[in-house]
Amino acid sequence: MEEMVEQVELLLQQNNEQQLTDYLNNLNISEVEELIGELPEHAHRFVQLLSLNRAVNVFRILDFPVQERLLKKLPGTKTAELINELPPDDRTALFGELHADTVKALILHLPPDDRKEALVLLGYEEDSVGRLMTPDYIAVKKNWDVVQVLSHIRRYGKNSETIDVIYVIDDNGVLLDDIRIREILLVDPATKVSDLVDDRLIALNVNDPQEEAINIFRMNNRVALPVTDDNNILLGIVTVDDILWIANEEYTEDIQKIGGTEALDEPYLDMPLLKLVKKRVGWLIILFLGEMLTATAMGYFEGQIAKAVVLALFVPLIISSGGNSGSQASTLIIQAMALGEVTVADWWRVMRREIVSGLLLGITLGLIGFIRIFVWTLFSNIYGPHWMAVGFTVAFALVGIVLWGSLAGSMLPLLLKKLGLDPATSSAPFVATLVDVTGLIIYFTIAVSIMNI
């Protein structure tokens, strides 16, 4: 990469436009994308020098902030060329991110049919399958033979998003089935399409959430899936490259939320510092206010702590153990929900598993805590004559707190999903804060019961 950047910088210094053009057109589009990242001030020049087809393919894989900056710097004619050549699904994704006034200006560059198509796609909900689909596909009739199908593909296949899958429709546009291209190529040319259909159709509804589409693709190993309306009319297709892109965005967003911050809508290094702080400060304030309750909880047991100061030594241990078990459970359940392995209907199965695992984990940590106190007592008098009571207090408290942390961390994402909220907002820091406060109450309640203080 370093060598490539040096070569391009040399050509830029020499102002050798022809050699620079040849060099850029010989690179992979992923290399041009990396080059734009390394030399962002020359991005518009690179796009102008590339052949139109390669410029479009590079533009498609750029992050939105980079695309937006490019559109501001490119001449109007080049912008019009890019917008016209972008596939409908990529164009819809771009328009969905841009300011409304910018979209109004750009959409005027499109031919009437493409303009109508763009407005239809933009009319679907932002996170629906309709925003991902492209109307560029190959559809055939059930009574055609393979010769007619191949002739149709030769005529219209160039403008299709993919020809790996052919869609069978009736005279009203109702989707009947889909056929993989290999099935058409490997049979006798006189074979009818009706002889190839198997009625094992998998389709997406145009109003389905994009997360559902990701799961359907994952479970069915498809390169493309048809999109229909409520009347089963074929409207378009969604291809796996778009699903992979959305899946990556969803994964990134969930990871950021699990970390206790709002999802970033720009790459980290491109985001203005104040905007980045704004994304992080909200959750930090909430977590800080939550943690302040730990002081309130300890204040409530101030008298008991004064009688057995040794209990205060184990507060960090108790807090961290409960928070860690809650964070583990929360992360596991959020990930399982994202993969479709767990749904809200599975709450009782999840709870039973977490009760058992929470008890086993708590007993394990409790034994370690008790042994630690016992070993220290052999060499020190730090825990005094009542070291055994202290040991049992810590052990039983760890069992209770780890169990509670596991239950809270596993149930909270399911509860949020049931309420129609994003489970990822039950992030590890939030669960840890919740368990910290309640863990102190459990700890000191057990201490009062065992030590009679």
Side-chain angles (χ1 to χ4, degrees), residues 323-353:
N324 290 341
S325 66
S327 299
Q328 277 186 341
S330 174
T331 302
L332 288 172
I333 296 302
I334 291 171
Q335 179 70 1
M337 291 173 72
L339 294 174
E341 299 170 353
V342 170
T343 65
V344 175
D346 298 316
W347 71 272
W348 176 237
R349 292 177 61 194
V350 172
M351 178 176 281
R352 283 184 301 177
R353 291 175 66 88

PDB file of all heavy atoms in Angstrom, residues 323-353:
ATOM      1  N   GLY A 323     -21.193  -7.833  38.107  1.00  0.00           N
ATOM      2  CA  GLY A 323     -21.194  -7.105  36.834  1.00  0.00           C
ATOM      3  C   GLY A 323     -20.635  -7.935  35.698  1.00  0.00           C
ATOM      4  O   GLY A 323     -21.161  -7.918  34.573  1.00  0.00           O
ATOM      5  N   ASN A 324     -19.575  -8.697  35.999  1.00  0.00           N
ATOM      6  CA  ASN A 324     -18.965  -9.529  34.952  1.00  0.00           C
ATOM      7  C   ASN A 324     -19.908 -10.629  34.483  1.00  0.00           C
ATOM      8  O   ASN A 324     -20.027 -10.899  33.284  1.00  0.00           O
ATOM      9  CB  ASN A 324     -17.664 -10.159  35.464  1.00  0.00           C
ATOM     10  CG  ASN A 324     -16.561  -9.137  35.637  1.00  0.00           C
ATOM     11  OD1 ASN A 324     -16.628  -8.043  35.067  1.00  0.00           O
ATOM     12  ND2 ASN A 324     -15.555  -9.466  36.425  1.00  0.00           N
ATOM     13  N   SER A 325     -20.590 -11.291  35.434  1.00  0.00           N
ATOM     14  CA  SER A 325     -21.518 -12.361  35.045  1.00  0.00           C
ATOM     15  C   SER A 325     -22.690 -11.781  34.253  1.00  0.00           C
ATOM     16  O   SER A 325     -23.155 -12.390  33.278  1.00  0.00           O
ATOM     17  CB  SER A 325     -22.035 -13.100  36.280  1.00  0.00           C
ATOM     18  OG  SER A 325     -22.833 -12.263  37.089  1.00  0.00           O
ATOM     19  N   GLY A 326     -23.171 -10.598  34.644  1.00  0.00           N
ATOM     20  CA  GLY A 326     -24.264  -9.957  33.914  1.00  0.00           C
ATOM     21  C   GLY A 326     -23.847  -9.551  32.512  1.00  0.00           C
ATOM     22  O   GLY A 326     -24.603  -9.734  31.556  1.00  0.00           O
ATOM     23  N   SER A 327     -22.631  -9.017  32.390  1.00  0.00           N
ATOM     24  CA  SER A 327     -22.129  -8.609  31.072  1.00  0.00           C
ATOM     25  C   SER A 327     -21.956  -9.817  30.154  1.00  0.00           C
ATOM     26  O   SER A 327     -22.272  -9.759  28.959  1.00  0.00           O
ATOM     27  CB  SER A 327     -20.792  -7.878  31.228  1.00  0.00           C
ATOM     28  OG  SER A 327     -20.944  -6.713  31.998  1.00  0.00           O
ATOM     29  N   GLN A 328     -21.452 -10.916  30.714  1.00  0.00           N
ATOM     30  CA  GLN A 328     -21.307 -12.155  29.925  1.00  0.00           C
ATOM     31  C   GLN A 328     -22.649 -12.603  29.382  1.00  0.00           C
ATOM     32  O   GLN A 328     -22.806 -12.872  28.184  1.00  0.00           O
ATOM     33  CB  GLN A 328     -20.720 -13.265  30.800  1.00  0.00           C
ATOM     34  CG  GLN A 328     -19.221 -13.250  30.944  1.00  0.00           C
ATOM     35  CD  GLN A 328     -18.736 -14.475  31.717  1.00  0.00           C
ATOM     36  OE1 GLN A 328     -19.501 -15.135  32.421  1.00  0.00           O
ATOM     37  NE2 GLN A 328     -17.464 -14.787  31.578  1.00  0.00           N
ATOM     38  N   ALA A 329     -23.632 -12.713  30.261  1.00  0.00           N
ATOM     39  CA  ALA A 329     -24.955 -13.200  29.860  1.00  0.00           C
ATOM     40  C   ALA A 329     -25.597 -12.274  28.838  1.00  0.00           C
ATOM     41  O   ALA A 329     -26.177 -12.722  27.844  1.00  0.00           O
ATOM     42  CB  ALA A 329     -25.846 -13.349  31.093  1.00  0.00           C
ATOM     43  N   SER A 330     -25.495 -10.964  29.067  1.00  0.00           N
ATOM     44  CA  SER A 330     -26.091  -9.991  28.152  1.00  0.00           C
ATOM     45  C   SER A 330     -25.482 -10.098  26.757  1.00  0.00           C
ATOM     46  O   SER A 330     -26.197 -10.127  25.754  1.00  0.00           O
ATOM     47  CB  SER A 330     -25.873  -8.573  28.709  1.00  0.00           C
ATOM     48  OG  SER A 330     -26.318  -7.605  27.801  1.00  0.00           O
ATOM     49  N   THR A 331     -24.162 -10.191  26.688  1.00  0.00           N
ATOM     50  CA  THR A 331     -23.483 -10.283  25.400  1.00  0.00           C
ATOM     51  C   THR A 331     -23.863 -11.562  24.662  1.00  0.00           C
ATOM     52  O   THR A 331     -24.127 -11.547  23.454  1.00  0.00           O
ATOM     53  CB  THR A 331     -21.957 -10.236  25.602  1.00  0.00           C
ATOM     54  OG1 THR A 331     -21.608  -9.021  26.286  1.00  0.00           O
ATOM     55  CG2 THR A 331     -21.235 -10.283  24.264  1.00  0.00           C
ATOM     56  N   LEU A 332     -23.923 -12.677  25.385  1.00  0.00           N
ATOM     57  CA  LEU A 332     -24.275 -13.956  24.768  1.00  0.00           C
ATOM     58  C   LEU A 332     -25.694 -13.933  24.208  1.00  0.00           C
ATOM     59  O   LEU A 332     -25.944 -14.398  23.087  1.00  0.00           O
ATOM     60  CB  LEU A 332     -24.139 -15.090  25.788  1.00  0.00           C
ATOM     61  CG  LEU A 332     -22.708 -15.480  26.187  1.00  0.00           C
ATOM     62  CD1 LEU A 332     -22.747 -16.481  27.333  1.00  0.00           C
ATOM     63  CD2 LEU A 332     -21.957 -16.073  24.997  1.00  0.00           C
ATOM     64  N   ILE A 333     -26.633 -13.379  24.956  1.00  0.00           N
ATOM     65  CA  ILE A 333     -28.032 -13.370  24.522  1.00  0.00           C
ATOM     66  C   ILE A 333     -28.237 -12.403  23.363  1.00  0.00           C
ATOM     67  O   ILE A 333     -28.952 -12.709  22.401  1.00  0.00           O
ATOM     68  CB  ILE A 333     -28.967 -13.022  25.696  1.00  0.00           C
ATOM     69  CG1 ILE A 333     -28.878 -14.102  26.778  1.00  0.00           C
ATOM     70  CG2 ILE A 333     -30.399 -12.868  25.216  1.00  0.00           C
ATOM     71  CD1 ILE A 333     -29.230 -15.496  26.281  1.00  0.00           C
ATOM     72  N   ILE A 334     -27.615 -11.234  23.415  1.00  0.00           N
ATOM     73  CA  ILE A 334     -27.751 -10.268  22.311  1.00  0.00           C
ATOM     74  C   ILE A 334     -27.218 -10.865  21.018  1.00  0.00           C
ATOM     75  O   ILE A 334     -27.825 -10.745  19.955  1.00  0.00           O
ATOM     76  CB  ILE A 334     -27.025  -8.950  22.657  1.00  0.00           C
ATOM     77  CG1 ILE A 334     -27.753  -8.216  23.785  1.00  0.00           C
ATOM     78  CG2 ILE A 334     -26.930  -8.051  21.423  1.00  0.00           C
ATOM     79  CD1 ILE A 334     -26.995  -7.030  24.335  1.00  0.00           C
ATOM     80  N   GLN A 335     -26.072 -11.540  21.114  1.00  0.00           N
ATOM     81  CA  GLN A 335     -25.491 -12.168  19.926  1.00  0.00           C
ATOM     82  C   GLN A 335     -26.393 -13.291  19.409  1.00  0.00           C
ATOM     83  O   GLN A 335     -26.611 -13.425  18.206  1.00  0.00           O
ATOM     84  CB  GLN A 335     -24.099 -12.715  20.260  1.00  0.00           C
ATOM     85  CG  GLN A 335     -23.396 -13.428  19.112  1.00  0.00           C
ATOM     86  CD  GLN A 335     -22.958 -12.484  18.014  1.00  0.00           C
ATOM     87  OE1 GLN A 335     -23.161 -11.280  18.105  1.00  0.00           O
ATOM     88  NE2 GLN A 335     -22.365 -13.022  16.964  1.00  0.00           N
ATOM     89  N   ALA A 336     -26.928 -14.102  20.330  1.00  0.00           N
ATOM     90  CA  ALA A 336     -27.810 -15.197  19.927  1.00  0.00           C
ATOM     91  C   ALA A 336     -29.087 -14.665  19.276  1.00  0.00           C
ATOM     92  O   ALA A 336     -29.588 -15.238  18.304  1.00  0.00           O
ATOM     93  CB  ALA A 336     -28.155 -16.058  21.144  1.00  0.00           C
ATOM     94  N   MET A 337     -29.599 -13.548  19.770  1.00  0.00           N
ATOM     95  CA  MET A 337     -30.791 -12.941  19.174  1.00  0.00           C
ATOM     96  C   MET A 337     -30.487 -12.392  17.788  1.00  0.00           C
ATOM     97  O   MET A 337     -31.297 -12.504  16.868  1.00  0.00           O
ATOM     98  CB  MET A 337     -31.320 -11.833  20.090  1.00  0.00           C
ATOM     99  CG  MET A 337     -31.905 -12.342  21.400  1.00  0.00           C
ATOM    100  SD  MET A 337     -32.335 -11.012  22.539  1.00  0.00           S
ATOM    101  CE  MET A 337     -33.775 -10.323  21.724  1.00  0.00           C
ATOM    102  N   ALA A 338     -29.310 -11.805  17.630  1.00  0.00           N
ATOM    103  CA  ALA A 338     -28.918 -11.251  16.329  1.00  0.00           C
ATOM    104  C   ALA A 338     -28.791 -12.351  15.279  1.00  0.00           C
ATOM    105  O   ALA A 338     -29.082 -12.141  14.103  1.00  0.00           O
ATOM    106  CB  ALA A 338     -27.599 -10.492  16.457  1.00  0.00           C
ATOM    107  N   LEU A 339     -28.368 -13.547  15.712  1.00  0.00           N
ATOM    108  CA  LEU A 339     -28.205 -14.672  14.786  1.00  0.00           C
ATOM    109  C   LEU A 339     -29.492 -15.471  14.607  1.00  0.00           C
ATOM    110  O   LEU A 339     -29.531 -16.433  13.841  1.00  0.00           O
ATOM    111  CB  LEU A 339     -27.103 -15.609  15.297  1.00  0.00           C
ATOM    112  CG  LEU A 339     -25.686 -15.043  15.327  1.00  0.00           C
ATOM    113  CD1 LEU A 339     -24.727 -16.023  15.977  1.00  0.00           C
ATOM    114  CD2 LEU A 339     -25.210 -14.690  13.912  1.00  0.00           C
ATOM    115  N   GLY A 340     -30.545 -15.078  15.316  1.00  0.00           N
ATOM    116  CA  GLY A 340     -31.808 -15.792  15.203  1.00  0.00           C
ATOM    117  C   GLY A 340     -31.852 -17.076  15.997  1.00  0.00           C
ATOM    118  O   GLY A 340     -32.766 -17.887  15.841  1.00  0.00           O
ATOM    119  N   GLU A 341     -30.871 -17.291  16.874  1.00  0.00           N
ATOM    120  CA  GLU A 341     -30.818 -18.522  17.678  1.00  0.00           C
ATOM    121  C   GLU A 341     -31.775 -18.464  18.866  1.00  0.00           C
ATOM    122  O   GLU A 341     -32.215 -19.502  19.371  1.00  0.00           O
ATOM    123  CB  GLU A 341     -29.399 -18.754  18.188  1.00  0.00           C
ATOM    124  CG  GLU A 341     -28.370 -18.939  17.085  1.00  0.00           C
ATOM    125  CD  GLU A 341     -26.940 -18.924  17.608  1.00  0.00           C
ATOM    126  OE1 GLU A 341     -26.737 -18.632  18.807  1.00  0.00           O
ATOM    127  OE2 GLU A 341     -26.041 -19.196  16.816  1.00  0.00           O
ATOM    128  N   VAL A 342     -32.079 -17.247  19.326  1.00  0.00           N
ATOM    129  CA  VAL A 342     -32.947 -17.053  20.485  1.00  0.00           C
ATOM    130  C   VAL A 342     -33.992 -16.004  20.143  1.00  0.00           C
ATOM    131  O   VAL A 342     -33.676 -14.975  19.530  1.00  0.00           O
ATOM    132  CB  VAL A 342     -32.126 -16.594  21.718  1.00  0.00           C
ATOM    133  CG1 VAL A 342     -33.044 -16.162  22.850  1.00  0.00           C
ATOM    134  CG2 VAL A 342     -31.208 -17.705  22.188  1.00  0.00           C
ATOM    135  N   THR A 343     -35.247 -16.257  20.521  1.00  0.00           N
ATOM    136  CA  THR A 343     -36.320 -15.282  20.358  1.00  0.00           C
ATOM    137  C   THR A 343     -36.965 -15.018  21.711  1.00  0.00           C
ATOM    138  O   THR A 343     -36.668 -15.701  22.707  1.00  0.00           O
ATOM    139  CB  THR A 343     -37.387 -15.801  19.382  1.00  0.00           C
ATOM    140  OG1 THR A 343     -38.020 -16.967  19.954  1.00  0.00           O
ATOM    141  CG2 THR A 343     -36.770 -16.171  18.032  1.00  0.00           C
ATOM    142  N   VAL A 344     -37.869 -14.040  21.742  1.00  0.00           N
ATOM    143  CA  VAL A 344     -38.552 -13.702  22.997  1.00  0.00           C
ATOM    144  C   VAL A 344     -39.312 -14.917  23.531  1.00  0.00           C
ATOM    145  O   VAL A 344     -39.417 -15.125  24.749  1.00  0.00           O
ATOM    146  CB  VAL A 344     -39.513 -12.518  22.777  1.00  0.00           C
ATOM    147  CG1 VAL A 344     -40.327 -12.238  24.037  1.00  0.00           C
ATOM    148  CG2 VAL A 344     -38.722 -11.273  22.370  1.00  0.00           C
ATOM    149  N   ALA A 345     -39.821 -15.743  22.621  1.00  0.00           N
ATOM    150  CA  ALA A 345     -40.591 -16.925  23.030  1.00  0.00           C
ATOM    151  C   ALA A 345     -39.738 -17.944  23.788  1.00  0.00           C
ATOM    152  O   ALA A 345     -40.271 -18.804  24.497  1.00  0.00           O
ATOM    153  CB  ALA A 345     -41.217 -17.590  21.814  1.00  0.00           C
ATOM    154  N   ASP A 346     -38.420 -17.809  23.683  1.00  0.00           N
ATOM    155  CA  ASP A 346     -37.514 -18.741  24.360  1.00  0.00           C
ATOM    156  C   ASP A 346     -37.119 -18.291  25.762  1.00  0.00           C
ATOM    157  O   ASP A 346     -36.199 -18.854  26.355  1.00  0.00           O
ATOM    158  CB  ASP A 346     -36.233 -18.930  23.525  1.00  0.00           C
ATOM    159  CG  ASP A 346     -36.511 -19.542  22.165  1.00  0.00           C
ATOM    160  OD1 ASP A 346     -37.302 -20.497  22.099  1.00  0.00           O
ATOM    161  OD2 ASP A 346     -35.939 -19.050  21.170  1.00  0.00           O
ATOM    162  N   TRP A 347     -37.807 -17.287  26.289  1.00  0.00           N
ATOM    163  CA  TRP A 347     -37.361 -16.677  27.552  1.00  0.00           C
ATOM    164  C   TRP A 347     -37.262 -17.692  28.688  1.00  0.00           C
ATOM    165  O   TRP A 347     -36.339 -17.631  29.505  1.00  0.00           O
ATOM    166  CB  TRP A 347     -38.284 -15.521  27.943  1.00  0.00           C
ATOM    167  CG  TRP A 347     -39.648 -15.953  28.406  1.00  0.00           C
ATOM    168  CD1 TRP A 347     -40.750 -16.166  27.638  1.00  0.00           C
ATOM    169  CD2 TRP A 347     -40.035 -16.236  29.754  1.00  0.00           C
ATOM    170  NE1 TRP A 347     -41.816 -16.564  28.408  1.00  0.00           N
ATOM    171  CE2 TRP A 347     -41.407 -16.616  29.720  1.00  0.00           C
ATOM    172  CE3 TRP A 347     -39.376 -16.211  30.979  1.00  0.00           C
ATOM    173  CZ2 TRP A 347     -42.115 -16.962  30.857  1.00  0.00           C
ATOM    174  CZ3 TRP A 347     -40.074 -16.560  32.133  1.00  0.00           C
ATOM    175  CH2 TRP A 347     -41.415 -16.931  32.069  1.00  0.00           C
ATOM    176  N   TRP A 348     -38.236 -18.624  28.765  1.00  0.00           N
ATOM    177  CA  TRP A 348     -38.218 -19.568  29.885  1.00  0.00           C
ATOM    178  C   TRP A 348     -37.049 -20.537  29.763  1.00  0.00           C
ATOM    179  O   TRP A 348     -36.408 -20.875  30.762  1.00  0.00           O
ATOM    180  CB  TRP A 348     -39.543 -20.317  29.948  1.00  0.00           C
ATOM    181  CG  TRP A 348     -39.601 -21.388  31.007  1.00  0.00           C
ATOM    182  CD1 TRP A 348     -39.868 -22.707  30.833  1.00  0.00           C
ATOM    183  CD2 TRP A 348     -39.359 -21.213  32.417  1.00  0.00           C
ATOM    184  NE1 TRP A 348     -39.828 -23.375  32.033  1.00  0.00           N
ATOM    185  CE2 TRP A 348     -39.511 -22.476  33.032  1.00  0.00           C
ATOM    186  CE3 TRP A 348     -39.039 -20.115  33.211  1.00  0.00           C
ATOM    187  CZ2 TRP A 348     -39.350 -22.679  34.394  1.00  0.00           C
ATOM    188  CZ3 TRP A 348     -38.868 -20.312  34.578  1.00  0.00           C
ATOM    189  CH2 TRP A 348     -39.032 -21.577  35.160  1.00  0.00           C
ATOM    190  N   ARG A 349     -36.746 -20.980  28.541  1.00  0.00           N
ATOM    191  CA  ARG A 349     -35.596 -21.864  28.332  1.00  0.00           C
ATOM    192  C   ARG A 349     -34.295 -21.147  28.698  1.00  0.00           C
ATOM    193  O   ARG A 349     -33.405 -21.728  29.325  1.00  0.00           O
ATOM    194  CB  ARG A 349     -35.541 -22.327  26.871  1.00  0.00           C
ATOM    195  CG  ARG A 349     -36.671 -23.261  26.463  1.00  0.00           C
ATOM    196  CD  ARG A 349     -36.575 -23.603  25.003  1.00  0.00           C
ATOM    197  NE  ARG A 349     -35.311 -24.279  24.710  1.00  0.00           N
ATOM    198  CZ  ARG A 349     -34.840 -24.461  23.478  1.00  0.00           C
ATOM    199  NH1 ARG A 349     -35.514 -23.993  22.435  1.00  0.00           N
ATOM    200  NH2 ARG A 349     -33.688 -25.089  23.283  1.00  0.00           N
ATOM    201  N   VAL A 350     -34.217 -19.869  28.313  1.00  0.00           N
ATOM    202  CA  VAL A 350     -33.027 -19.080  28.643  1.00  0.00           C
ATOM    203  C   VAL A 350     -32.907 -18.918  30.155  1.00  0.00           C
ATOM    204  O   VAL A 350     -31.820 -19.093  30.728  1.00  0.00           O
ATOM    205  CB  VAL A 350     -33.088 -17.694  27.955  1.00  0.00           C
ATOM    206  CG1 VAL A 350     -31.950 -16.800  28.448  1.00  0.00           C
ATOM    207  CG2 VAL A 350     -33.034 -17.831  26.435  1.00  0.00           C
ATOM    208  N   MET A 351     -34.022 -18.613  30.812  1.00  0.00           N
ATOM    209  CA  MET A 351     -33.985 -18.412  32.263  1.00  0.00           C
ATOM    210  C   MET A 351     -33.538 -19.685  32.984  1.00  0.00           C
ATOM    211  O   MET A 351     -32.715 -19.629  33.915  1.00  0.00           O
ATOM    212  CB  MET A 351     -35.359 -17.964  32.771  1.00  0.00           C
ATOM    213  CG  MET A 351     -35.404 -17.780  34.285  1.00  0.00           C
ATOM    214  SD  MET A 351     -36.981 -17.149  34.902  1.00  0.00           S
ATOM    215  CE  MET A 351     -36.826 -15.409  34.518  1.00  0.00           C
ATOM    216  N   ARG A 352     -34.069 -20.845  32.576  1.00  0.00           N
ATOM    217  CA  ARG A 352     -33.686 -22.102  33.221  1.00  0.00           C
ATOM    218  C   ARG A 352     -32.191 -22.367  33.077  1.00  0.00           C
ATOM    219  O   ARG A 352     -31.523 -22.781  34.035  1.00  0.00           O
ATOM    220  CB  ARG A 352     -34.477 -23.272  32.621  1.00  0.00           C
ATOM    221  CG  ARG A 352     -35.918 -23.364  33.121  1.00  0.00           C
ATOM    222  CD  ARG A 352     -36.615 -24.599  32.570  1.00  0.00           C
ATOM    223  NE  ARG A 352     -36.638 -24.584  31.110  1.00  0.00           N
ATOM    224  CZ  ARG A 352     -37.131 -25.571  30.371  1.00  0.00           C
ATOM    225  NH1 ARG A 352     -37.613 -26.655  30.951  1.00  0.00           N
ATOM    226  NH2 ARG A 352     -37.137 -25.482  29.054  1.00  0.00           N
ATOM    227  N   ARG A 353     -31.680 -22.117  31.865  1.00  0.00           N
ATOM    228  CA  ARG A 353     -30.247 -22.326  31.637  1.00  0.00           C
ATOM    229  C   ARG A 353     -29.409 -21.373  32.486  1.00  0.00           C
ATOM    230  O   ARG A 353     -28.370 -21.757  33.039  1.00  0.00           O
ATOM    231  CB  ARG A 353     -29.909 -22.129  30.156  1.00  0.00           C
ATOM    232  CG  ARG A 353     -30.480 -23.214  29.244  1.00  0.00           C
ATOM    233  CD  ARG A 353     -30.215 -22.902  27.783  1.00  0.00           C
ATOM    234  NE  ARG A 353     -28.795 -22.947  27.487  1.00  0.00           N
ATOM    235  CZ  ARG A 353     -28.140 -24.041  27.125  1.00  0.00           C
ATOM    236  NH1 ARG A 353     -28.787 -25.196  27.014  1.00  0.00           N
ATOM    237  NH2 ARG A 353     -26.858 -23.998  26.849  1.00  0.00           N
TER     238      ARG A 353
END
